[in-house]
Amino acid sequence: MDALSDVLRLVRLKGGVFLHAEFTAPWCIRTQLVPEDCGSLLDGVDHLVLYHYVVEGRLRAQIPHLEPINIETGEVVIFPHNHAHILGSHLDLSPVSAREIVRPSVDGGFLVIRHGGGGEPTRVVCGFLGCERLEGNLLARILLPVLRFDARRGSAADWVKSSLEFAAHEIGARHYVETLPQEQTGWLAGLKDPFVSRALALLHEDVAREWTVDELGRAVGLSRSALAERFTGLIGEPPMRYLARWRIQLAAHALRNSDQPLARIAAQVGYDSEAAFNRAFKRSLGVPPAAWRKAALEP
């Protein structure tokens, strides 16, 4: 099993494109997505992600207190944690709120922004993703505040124009993995390492198995100590601690999205007793699984 797909599966992404913007230099706007911007398309989601695809021209993007980045034609900038941010040709200008200049289209389609001083043009398509809350999910830990990708490579450009799922899976993850520098660490960087990537795949393939680091090391062709060092160096925690945390995430997903009894969920994610499952779940998320399920299902 592809470990990345396994992680993405739990967030249950959906979304759409909602705005087409035409800017002319000089310009600068500030923006942040709220559920009301997405209409009824994202009913029931807990977390929003905003992205901007530069169809023509270029812009600069910045989250306050972070370094600005340059986005060129054919590139996508994604804000996985939905931080407020500014976009513009010149970020030293006083930013205008996007809400003050957004207008409905004459044909009832996308919202429209036309703004700027009449200079160099930039056209941007803005879209959004919605998913279940990211707290506790690996994506909350592995995705940087702002991501930039070249959508001109491979099939990405066609996809960005037509499908949000690709933006989440292809641009937001696999393409990012492929372009990570060799010195990069973190969960996504681990997917580039042949040994760590194989270990992750094995753990995700058979999460209920009573794995040991010795057994996992033999399966990927490393000694116990070599795998533990390599895995911890890239992922940030030892293999068995990672597995324990992933089991709890899978269990939380099942509690929220099924009516399976606790004992069955416990067995599915590798606990030999409901009592052991209860202890591990409470240790990780602060409440027993039954209480967590009740709170998650409350309107």
PDB file of all heavy atoms in Angstrom, residues 19 44 47 73 84 89 133 181 185 263 267 280:
ATOM      1  N   LEU A  19     -13.112  31.250  -7.699  1.00  0.00           N
ATOM      2  CA  LEU A  19     -12.836  32.645  -8.026  1.00  0.00           C
ATOM      3  C   LEU A  19     -11.827  32.749  -9.152  1.00  0.00           C
ATOM      4  O   LEU A  19     -10.846  32.003  -9.200  1.00  0.00           O
ATOM      5  CB  LEU A  19     -12.315  33.366  -6.782  1.00  0.00           C
ATOM      6  CG  LEU A  19     -12.095  34.878  -6.873  1.00  0.00           C
ATOM      7  CD1 LEU A  19     -12.416  35.534  -5.533  1.00  0.00           C
ATOM      8  CD2 LEU A  19     -10.646  35.213  -7.257  1.00  0.00           C
ATOM      9  N   GLY A  44     -20.184  20.430   6.429  1.00  0.00           N
ATOM     10  CA  GLY A  44     -19.720  19.332   7.261  1.00  0.00           C
ATOM     11  C   GLY A  44     -18.217  19.188   7.362  1.00  0.00           C
ATOM     12  O   GLY A  44     -17.735  18.333   8.094  1.00  0.00           O
ATOM     13  N   HIS A  47     -11.914  21.617   8.164  1.00  0.00           N
ATOM     14  CA  HIS A  47     -10.668  22.320   7.856  1.00  0.00           C
ATOM     15  C   HIS A  47     -10.671  22.747   6.397  1.00  0.00           C
ATOM     16  O   HIS A  47     -11.095  21.982   5.516  1.00  0.00           O
ATOM     17  CB  HIS A  47      -9.473  21.405   8.130  1.00  0.00           C
ATOM     18  CG  HIS A  47      -8.149  22.081   7.912  1.00  0.00           C
ATOM     19  ND1 HIS A  47      -7.582  22.921   8.851  1.00  0.00           N
ATOM     20  CD2 HIS A  47      -7.300  22.067   6.852  1.00  0.00           C
ATOM     21  CE1 HIS A  47      -6.428  23.369   8.372  1.00  0.00           C
ATOM     22  NE2 HIS A  47      -6.238  22.866   7.175  1.00  0.00           N
ATOM     23  N   THR A  73       3.944  32.112 -13.780  1.00  0.00           N
ATOM     24  CA  THR A  73       2.923  31.489 -14.613  1.00  0.00           C
ATOM     25  C   THR A  73       3.047  29.961 -14.578  1.00  0.00           C
ATOM     26  O   THR A  73       4.139  29.416 -14.713  1.00  0.00           O
ATOM     27  CB  THR A  73       3.056  31.958 -16.070  1.00  0.00           C
ATOM     28  OG1 THR A  73       2.886  33.374 -16.124  1.00  0.00           O
ATOM     29  CG2 THR A  73       2.015  31.297 -16.963  1.00  0.00           C
ATOM     30  N   ALA A  84      -4.018  33.342   7.100  1.00  0.00           N
ATOM     31  CA  ALA A  84      -4.210  34.609   6.403  1.00  0.00           C
ATOM     32  C   ALA A  84      -2.912  34.951   5.661  1.00  0.00           C
ATOM     33  O   ALA A  84      -1.808  34.687   6.155  1.00  0.00           O
ATOM     34  CB  ALA A  84      -4.565  35.707   7.396  1.00  0.00           C
ATOM     35  N   SER A  89       1.761  42.168  -6.593  1.00  0.00           N
ATOM     36  CA  SER A  89       2.950  42.456  -7.395  1.00  0.00           C
ATOM     37  C   SER A  89       3.985  43.162  -6.533  1.00  0.00           C
ATOM     38  O   SER A  89       5.190  43.022  -6.736  1.00  0.00           O
ATOM     39  CB  SER A  89       2.567  43.338  -8.584  1.00  0.00           C
ATOM     40  OG  SER A  89       2.015  44.574  -8.139  1.00  0.00           O
ATOM     41  N   ARG A 133     -11.086  17.488  10.317  1.00  0.00           N
ATOM     42  CA  ARG A 133     -10.082  18.213  11.097  1.00  0.00           C
ATOM     43  C   ARG A 133      -8.744  17.502  11.025  1.00  0.00           C
ATOM     44  O   ARG A 133      -8.667  16.274  11.006  1.00  0.00           O
ATOM     45  CB  ARG A 133     -10.535  18.378  12.549  1.00  0.00           C
ATOM     46  CG  ARG A 133     -10.681  17.095  13.315  1.00  0.00           C
ATOM     47  CD  ARG A 133     -10.964  17.367  14.789  1.00  0.00           C
ATOM     48  NE  ARG A 133     -12.209  18.068  14.983  1.00  0.00           N
ATOM     49  CZ  ARG A 133     -13.370  17.467  15.250  1.00  0.00           C
ATOM     50  NH1 ARG A 133     -13.431  16.149  15.321  1.00  0.00           N
ATOM     51  NH2 ARG A 133     -14.463  18.171  15.434  1.00  0.00           N
ATOM     52  N   PRO A 181      14.667  18.563  -1.425  1.00  0.00           N
ATOM     53  CA  PRO A 181      16.130  18.448  -1.431  1.00  0.00           C
ATOM     54  C   PRO A 181      16.577  17.240  -0.624  1.00  0.00           C
ATOM     55  O   PRO A 181      15.897  16.795   0.295  1.00  0.00           O
ATOM     56  CB  PRO A 181      16.584  19.756  -0.774  1.00  0.00           C
ATOM     57  CG  PRO A 181      15.416  20.225   0.025  1.00  0.00           C
ATOM     58  CD  PRO A 181      14.192  19.760  -0.732  1.00  0.00           C
ATOM     59  N   THR A 185      14.398  16.705   5.927  1.00  0.00           N
ATOM     60  CA  THR A 185      13.900  15.645   6.797  1.00  0.00           C
ATOM     61  C   THR A 185      12.399  15.824   6.970  1.00  0.00           C
ATOM     62  O   THR A 185      11.820  16.828   6.583  1.00  0.00           O
ATOM     63  CB  THR A 185      14.591  15.680   8.172  1.00  0.00           C
ATOM     64  OG1 THR A 185      14.332  16.939   8.794  1.00  0.00           O
ATOM     65  CG2 THR A 185      16.084  15.470   8.042  1.00  0.00           C
ATOM     66  N   ALA A 263     -14.637  -3.041  20.258  1.00  0.00           N
ATOM     67  CA  ALA A 263     -13.791  -4.236  20.232  1.00  0.00           C
ATOM     68  C   ALA A 263     -13.333  -4.558  18.819  1.00  0.00           C
ATOM     69  O   ALA A 263     -12.180  -4.949  18.598  1.00  0.00           O
ATOM     70  CB  ALA A 263     -14.546  -5.419  20.829  1.00  0.00           C
ATOM     71  N   ALA A 267      -9.399  -4.447  17.395  1.00  0.00           N
ATOM     72  CA  ALA A 267      -8.740  -5.569  16.725  1.00  0.00           C
ATOM     73  C   ALA A 267      -8.214  -5.170  15.359  1.00  0.00           C
ATOM     74  O   ALA A 267      -7.119  -5.586  14.950  1.00  0.00           O
ATOM     75  CB  ALA A 267      -9.715  -6.736  16.597  1.00  0.00           C
ATOM     76  N   ALA A 280      -4.608   3.179  25.320  1.00  0.00           N
ATOM     77  CA  ALA A 280      -3.773   3.813  24.303  1.00  0.00           C
ATOM     78  C   ALA A 280      -4.475   5.018  23.685  1.00  0.00           C
ATOM     79  O   ALA A 280      -3.858   6.062  23.440  1.00  0.00           O
ATOM     80  CB  ALA A 280      -3.414   2.796  23.219  1.00  0.00           C
TER      81      ALA A 280
END
